[in-house]
Amino acid sequence: DQQVKQNSPSLSVQEGRISILNCDYTNSMFDYFLWYKKYPAEGPTFLISISSIKDKNEDGRFTVFLNKSAKHLSLHIVPSQPGDSAVYFCAARKYGNKLVFGAGTILRVKS
Amino acid sequence: NAGVTQTPKFQVLKTGQSMTLQCAQDMNHEYMSWYRQDPGMGLRLIHYSVGAGITDQGEVPNGYNVSRSTTEDFPLRLLSAAPSQTSVYFCASSPMGGGTEAFFGQGTRLTVV
């Protein structure tokens, strides 16, 4: 029962263009959503989050959009840079501090 | 500025052996957790703790034990290793409360042969 789904295993974009990573969830009780970035042989690092009461949060080149009616969120990276190449995990918080993760999307930014 | 420290980074075990993965954090976080990462499955929660002396099961707890005697340490024990436990293990910590992200260790790559 995958409560958080990232349906695109990989995404390739050209440097300078926009990267859009998508995430769908099934549990309407999630109250917080987070994106993590992971490089090979390292632990995930927090990127950006959004509360379920908001529909957008922006931090520099990164913007997360939340569509509660569609149970969908997306991460926009503008402009994309080669250093953004990594695995991106979408995560959702149900209660307390427990996080449910998606399977991840590999982003490759070509220079 | 250590954050979350996991040891060892790599380990090879034979089926049936036991071992303990160590995790320590220096941020005085109440909440600590263990995840395993497998291809195509993201990170799955094994066990978690909301404070010293309190632990609970996550999504995939079978074959693993934990204890939390101090705020800083949260070891994960494999009682009798099986090939299905071959994975990358991550420990994470966070303060209790709303909106706070988890900080992850660098991971332990475990192979059970």
Side-chain angles (χ1 to χ4, degrees), chain B residues 20-72:
Chain B
T20 300
L21 308 185
Q22 301 292 344
C23 175
Q25 53 95 4
D26 61 0
M27 297 172 282
N28 203 32
H29 287 165
E30 301 94 334
Y31 186 87
M32 296 186 74
S33 52
W34 277 100
Y35 291 86
R36 59 178 288 173
Q37 184 196 0
D38 301 293
M41 303 189 77
L43 286 83
R44 291 181 294 167
L45 182 64
I46 304 172
H47 284 285
Y48 66 97
S49 168
V50 299
I54 306 169
T55 64
D56 206 345
Q57 296 180 350
E59 184 186 354
V60 288
N62 292 340
Y64 307 95
N65 272 357
V66 292
S67 59
R68 184 96 178 269
S69 55
T70 66
T71 299
E72 295 78 20

Side-chain angles (χ1 to χ4, degrees), chain A residues 32 34 36 38 41-44 46 89 93 97-99 101-103, chain B residues 31 35 37 40 42-43 90 94-95 97-99 101-102 104-106:
Chain A
Y32 231 87
L34 305 91
Y36 281 83
K38 185 184 177 307
E42 293 185 11
F46 170 75
F89 290 100
R93 195 184 72 176
N97 284 43
K98 292 171 72 172
L99 295 177
F101 284 84
Chain B
Y31 186 87
Y35 291 86
Q37 184 196 0
L43 286 83
F90 291 101
S94 60
E101 72 274 17
F104 283 83
Q106 287 201 311

Side-chain angles (χ1 to χ4, degrees), chain A residues 39-50:
Chain A
Y39 292 118
E42 293 185 11
T45 55
F46 170 75
L47 193 56
I48 193 169
S49 64
I50 187 168

